[in-house]
Amino acid sequence: MAVDHTPDRMTQPPARTLPVHAPLEQFPVHAGELRVGGQPLSLLAERVGQTPFYAYDRQALRNRVASLRKALPPAIKLHYAMKANPMPAVVGFMAGLVDGIDVASGGELKVALDAGADPQEVSFAGPGKRVPELRQAVASRVLVNVESPREVVELQRISQELGLPARVAVRVNPDFELKGSGMKMGGGPKQFGVDVEQMPQLLADIGRAGLDFEGFHLFAGSQNLRPESICEAQQKSYELALRLAADAPAPIRFLNLGGGFGVPYFPGEQRLDLAPIGENLAQLLARAGTEMPQASFVIELGRYLVAEAGIYVTRIVDRKVSRGHVFLVTDGGLNHHLSASGNFGQVVRKNYPVTIGNRADAGPAETVSVVGPLCTPLDLLADRMALPPAQVGDLVVVYQSGAYGASASPQAFLGHAPCTEVLV
Ligand SMILES: *Cc1c(COP(=O)(O)O)cnc(C)c1O
């Protein structure tokens, strides 16, 4: 790195810049108001008719999928893992943008099919699939990502009863982890997938059961912002699938390399650089041309597709000063947005990006804490953050909230009203 030897720099104390949130450009600001779906936030709040609410922006979703497609080889199929945001309107909209939907319960399967997803491009993963869920999957001809020997036994019986061979892929618990992930979901002992060591036996069982074997599913982890780790996991997943193909009852037609693409939530985090991932996938596809000629490749993403296109909006109901510290008390918090409160798997609580949506051009003026209405100290949306000066009635906006929000929060906790959601 170049060293700056200009005298004035050398005489100044070293800059101690605090880490900041990655720039947020999805929602422009005009005349002080954040705009969502082209509308000023205050007007949108009137249209919604209540606070708190989540708003998801169609154009931001479109832009996200378009930029992702530009960065990845065209042959890669994009699947939306709908557990990130299962709002039916969002799933319906996403179904028109991506190539397939990944579901993780019978309930999600219903939403995906109602949304018009093509069953050929729907896959169903998750531990502990119950018999009624497996029957739903076989009857609707979606792909089941098998996660245990029991599922093979059940699927054989269901296939015979319904006269339809179940379409299956095997979710593999690999012998490696996705380094630097927020949540690790492969490697070591796991409830997800089938250990590599057990694969030869399971693949033989699938062949004997007469199931329609299509390929493999590998999902190493989530919320990763390190392209080199994602590339390494994809590389290893490909190699592993190639090894396992030797024992498979049919040629590999489907290879789901997982996802794990993260988004910047906290100060100091940067957006994921897709270029190396695109290059790595192009190399794998080139190899697959000879090594796995029938395989189509899938990447499954949840938060990466939807998180940045959504905000949570909650109104300030009280402004209190306690021993000199300002608390903005809002009409929703942890009960609607568990992850922004820091209680959804985070080890250390950090602030999501937050602003005052109807004074968004005012610039930071005071250091405050934003707390929800729940009678617990865990209900914290912003801890000592510099925000524009805010009053009762103003709208607090939590960015990066399009994933793991409403459906991932304990809405009944403490008996407050549930939030609502809009797609604009
Ligand atoms: C949760 C999950 C996803 C989505 O994870 P994101 O971090 O939201 O991208 C994808 N696939 C599987 C199997 C999952 O369990």
Side-chain angles (χ1 to χ4, degrees):
M1 226 177 27
V3 179
D4 189 345
H5 289 294
T6 50
D8 58 330
R9 282 286 183 89
M10 290 193 62
T11 51
Q12 276 169 17
R16 286 216 301 128
T17 47
L18 289 170
V20 295
H21 286 109
L24 299 158
E25 279 138 16
Q26 311 87 295
F27 304 104
V29 175
H30 288 301
E33 292 258 353
L34 203 71
R35 297 212 162 213
V36 187
Q39 294 189 50
L41 184 68
S42 303
L43 192 62
L44 178 63
E46 295 290 343
R47 191 203 115 178
V48 173
Q50 70 157 81
T51 53
F53 62 91
Y54 282 89
Y56 315 117
D57 186 315
R58 284 189 177 86
Q59 192 54 48
L61 293 169
R62 258 188 227 109
N63 293 346
R64 187 62 158 200
V65 173
S67 61
L68 186 60
R69 288 217 194 260
K70 240 176 100 188
L72 303 184
I76 295 284
K77 288 186 180 175
L78 275 187
H79 278 200
Y80 173 48
M82 65 170 278
K83 86 164 186 270
N85 187 329
M87 182 197 186
V90 167
V91 178
F93 188 70
M94 294 305 289
L97 293 178
V98 298
D99 304 303
I101 305 284
D102 289 342
V103 305
S105 71
E108 286 194 353
L109 175 56
K110 179 186 185 302
V111 174
L113 295 174
D114 288 350
D118 176 3
Q120 186 64 31
E121 298 292 339
V122 171
S123 55
F124 182 2
K129 298 181 198 72
R130 274 137 290 168
V131 171
E133 294 179 305
L134 291 168
R135 294 184 79 92
Q136 265 178 283
V138 176
S140 49
R141 305 292 291 128
V142 303
L143 182 69
V144 179
N145 293 330
V146 164
E147 311 221 8
S148 79
R150 178 197 66 96
E151 291 184 357
V152 173
V153 173
E154 296 290 4
L155 286 169
Q156 177 176 19
R157 194 171 49 75
I158 295 165
S159 298
Q160 280 162 2
E161 285 176 21
L162 301 185
L164 289 169
R167 296 176 53 214
V168 298
V170 182
R171 180 171 181 181
V172 186
N173 177 23
D175 39 13
F176 57 85
E177 288 189 336
L178 178 52
K179 288 180 199 145
S181 272
M183 283 189 202
K184 292 193 169 71
M185 290 175 69
K190 287 284 182 299
Q191 73 267 50
F192 307 110
V194 176
D195 294 353
V196 176
E197 299 82 342
Q198 299 174 22
M199 288 301 291
Q201 175 70 46
L202 190 86
L203 290 167
D205 291 347
I206 288 174
R208 273 192 295 274
L211 306 182
D212 191 1
F213 173 84
E214 297 193 5
F216 298 110
H217 172 217
L218 287 113
F219 186 79
S222 236
Q223 180 51 21
N224 201 305
L225 290 168
R226 288 162 43 182
E228 63 282 4
S229 303
I230 292 174
C231 290
E232 187 188 318
Q234 289 175 340
Q235 186 84 28
K236 286 181 170 173
S237 297
Y238 176 89
E239 308 272 353
L240 178 55
L242 197 59
R243 268 194 282 136
L244 294 173
D247 291 318
I252 307 305
R253 284 174 285 157
F254 168 92
L255 183 54
N256 183 337
L257 289 175
F261 298 15
V263 297
Y265 289 113
F266 305 121
E269 292 181 343
Q270 301 295 316
R271 286 201 169 68
L272 182 65
D273 180 8
L274 292 175
I277 300 172
E279 281 165 33
N280 184 57
L281 286 171
Q283 285 172 19
L284 292 179
L285 284 173
R287 282 183 60 184
T290 50
E291 294 172 340
M292 253 186 257
Q294 298 186 37
S296 64
F297 283 68
V298 171
I299 295 290
E300 59 176 1
L301 300 171
R303 76 186 74 217
Y304 189 82
L305 298 178
V306 294
E308 303 210 43
I311 55 173
Y312 174 66
V313 183
T314 175
R315 199 179 290 279
I316 298 172
V317 293
D318 207 346
R319 183 191 156 96
K320 298 173 64 172
V321 182
S322 168
R323 305 210 161 102
H325 188 73
V326 177
F327 289 89
L328 305 175
V329 188
T330 53
D331 59 2
L334 170 158
N335 52 327
H336 305 143
H337 204 333
L338 190 64
S339 33
S341 78
N343 295 292
F344 191 63
Q346 293 96 331
V347 180
V348 179
R349 192 196 174 284
K350 293 179 191 150
N351 287 328
Y352 269 47
V354 167
T355 191
I356 306 298
N358 57 315
R359 300 181 192 269
D361 60 354
E366 58 178 355
T367 297
V368 300
S369 291
V370 180
V371 298
L374 306 196
C375 201
T376 159
L378 299 176
D379 194 4
L380 182 59
L381 289 178
D383 183 16
R384 285 160 295 161
M385 195 181 231
L387 288 179
Q391 301 302 329
V392 169
D394 286 344
L395 298 169
V396 169
V397 166
V398 182
Y399 291 98
Q400 309 297 76
S401 296
Y404 305 107
S407 72
S409 300
Q411 298 229 25
F413 188 34
L414 270 146
H416 291 275
C419 63
T420 189
E421 299 172 276
V422 281
L423 176 64
V424 288

